Amino acid sequence: MQQEYQKYYVPAQSPWPIVGAVALFLIAVGAGNFVIEATKGESGYGGYTLLAGFVVLMVMLVGWFKNQIDESMSGLYSDQLGRSYRQGMSWFIFSEVMFFAAFFGALYYARFISVPWLGGASNNAMTNEVLWPTFEAMWPLVSTPGGITTQEMSAVGLPTINTVILLISSVTLHFAHVGLEQNKRKQLTVMLGVTILLGIGFLFLQVEEYVHAYRDLGLTLQSGIYGNTFFMLTGFHGMHVTLGTIILIVMFFRVLKGHFTPHNHFAFQAGSWYWHFVDVVWVMLYIFVYVL
């Protein structure tokens, strides 16, 4: 008896991976130069290169999303390919977990290893006197060896509001997913739209927080290890929220066009996984960066 095999769609060669690589290269180079120029108070091409990278990235996302949507709506995908997509998304989220784990590791090293050593802990009794005579072993470090001082960002206010916003957004997205599974299109549309608005609100308040940090607290990229870890963690998380919001917006317009069914909606499910992951990372970030 001849065994039947499911079809497994293999797309033609695509330009979008190399376009995405160019975009990420421009973003990396532009961000690095932008930070250096901002630190030195100079003006250069870092900001323009960073902007160009984001523009190319948006072009790549639009083009690649369009190709994927066209392939899916043409019935080219099978159950086996769906399992491959699920495995791919799972590994992608795992890689993102490791990405943030590295940054949390840097924060842990700075707080619990470097700071005590500089304060003379263990066998480093002379470190404090030789390297930094006025150093106080405390966190956050609100002064640098060069004498630049800052204030810490309090957990009260915008960070707490943003935490509540993201937690609510996970709930609304869950109900949107439930609406899709139960074929309640109105519930799906409304709850997904509310989630998008909450994501945009989060990003707006994070910009407000950065303005407050620079203008009122003197908390900048020049504020030593505390300023660097603060902006590194919150900044990269903000980039992930931005990407997640873009994905949800794409899903929203697909919903309006009648895409997805209760049994065929992995694109929506993958976006939901990603958003919940971003929310969990923020809760950890809120605890370890703002509270502790």
Side-chain angles (χ1 to χ4, degrees):
M1 181 176 178
Q2 186 177 6
Q3 185 176 2
E4 293 185 2
Y5 294 93
Q6 286 187 342
K7 63 181 180 180
Y8 194 94
Y9 174 69
V10 179
Q13 291 184 351
S14 171
W16 301 123
I18 188 64
V19 174
V22 171
L24 294 177
F25 174 78
L26 292 174
I27 290 173
V29 173
N33 282 278
F34 179 76
V35 170
I36 294 173
E37 292 162 4
T39 302
K40 295 182 178 180
E42 301 175 350
S43 60
Y45 295 99
Y48 297 108
T49 306
L50 180 61
L51 179 61
F54 280 119
V55 170
V56 175
L57 181 64
M58 290 302 300
V59 171
M60 182 273 292
L61 289 175
V62 171
W64 209 338
F65 282 178
K66 182 180 184 303
N67 290 160
Q68 289 282 299
I69 293 170
D70 290 342
E71 292 166 1
S72 176
M73 299 306 294
S74 299
L76 297 175
Y77 295 164
S78 63
D79 292 340
Q80 175 60 35
L81 186 59
R83 287 190 288 271
S84 295
Y85 272 127
R86 283 168 172 78
Q87 292 175 3
M89 190 64 188
S90 299
W91 279 112
F92 171 68
I93 291 179
F94 176 76
S95 72
E96 292 287 271
V97 170
M98 294 297 101
F99 178 84
F100 278 101
F103 290 144
F104 279 110
L107 177 64
Y108 175 86
Y109 184 88
R111 291 184 61 172
F112 299 108
I113 298 179
S114 295
V115 169
W117 279 3
L118 285 173
S122 186
N123 62 342
N124 299 282
M126 298 296 295
T127 302
N128 179 258
E129 299 179 8
V130 175
L131 296 181
W132 194 345
T134 60
F135 177 78
E136 296 182 25
M138 56 179 287
W139 187 267
L141 297 182
V142 293
S143 64
T144 68
I148 298 176
T149 59
T150 185
Q151 300 179 54
E152 65 176 302
M153 179 65 71
S154 173
V156 179
L158 292 177
T160 299
I161 295 173
N162 264 346
T163 302
V164 173
I165 287 175
L166 278 191
L167 290 176
I168 294 175
S169 74
S170 268
V171 175
T172 56
L173 185 57
H174 169 72
F175 280 109
H177 195 181
V178 171
L180 176 55
E181 291 178 331
Q182 297 178 355
N183 202 27
K184 297 178 179 178
R185 304 296 292 192
K186 183 176 180 180
Q187 175 179 324
L188 165 63
T189 305
V190 172
M191 289 293 100
L192 181 56
V194 171
T195 305
I196 293 170
L197 292 177
L198 289 171
I200 294 172
F202 175 91
L203 293 171
F204 175 79
L205 291 181
Q206 187 168 44
V207 172
E208 289 292 313
E209 180 185 15
Y210 279 8
V211 172
H212 171 60
Y214 265 75
R215 183 181 58 195
D216 303 325
L217 303 180
L219 179 57
T220 69
L221 289 171
Q222 302 179 44
S223 301
I225 187 65
Y226 173 57
N228 279 265
T229 53
F230 173 82
F231 285 108
M232 179 176 65
L233 281 163
T234 60
F236 274 113
H237 180 268
M239 289 179 60
H240 284 72
V241 174
T242 302
L243 178 59
T245 303
I246 293 172
I247 292 173
L248 293 182
I249 291 173
V250 173
M251 296 302 108
F252 183 78
F253 283 108
R254 291 193 64 185
V255 167
L256 293 181
K257 293 187 67 174
H259 294 190
F260 306 128
T261 67
H263 304 290
N264 184 17
H265 59 266
F266 175 68
F268 184 94
Q269 189 177 38
S272 178
W273 289 356
Y274 186 79
W275 190 260
H276 293 311
F277 157 74
V278 169
D279 289 355
V280 171
V281 170
W282 175 260
V283 172
M284 296 179 60
L285 191 153
Y286 175 75
I287 294 172
F288 290 104
V289 174
Y290 292 97
V291 177
L292 298 181

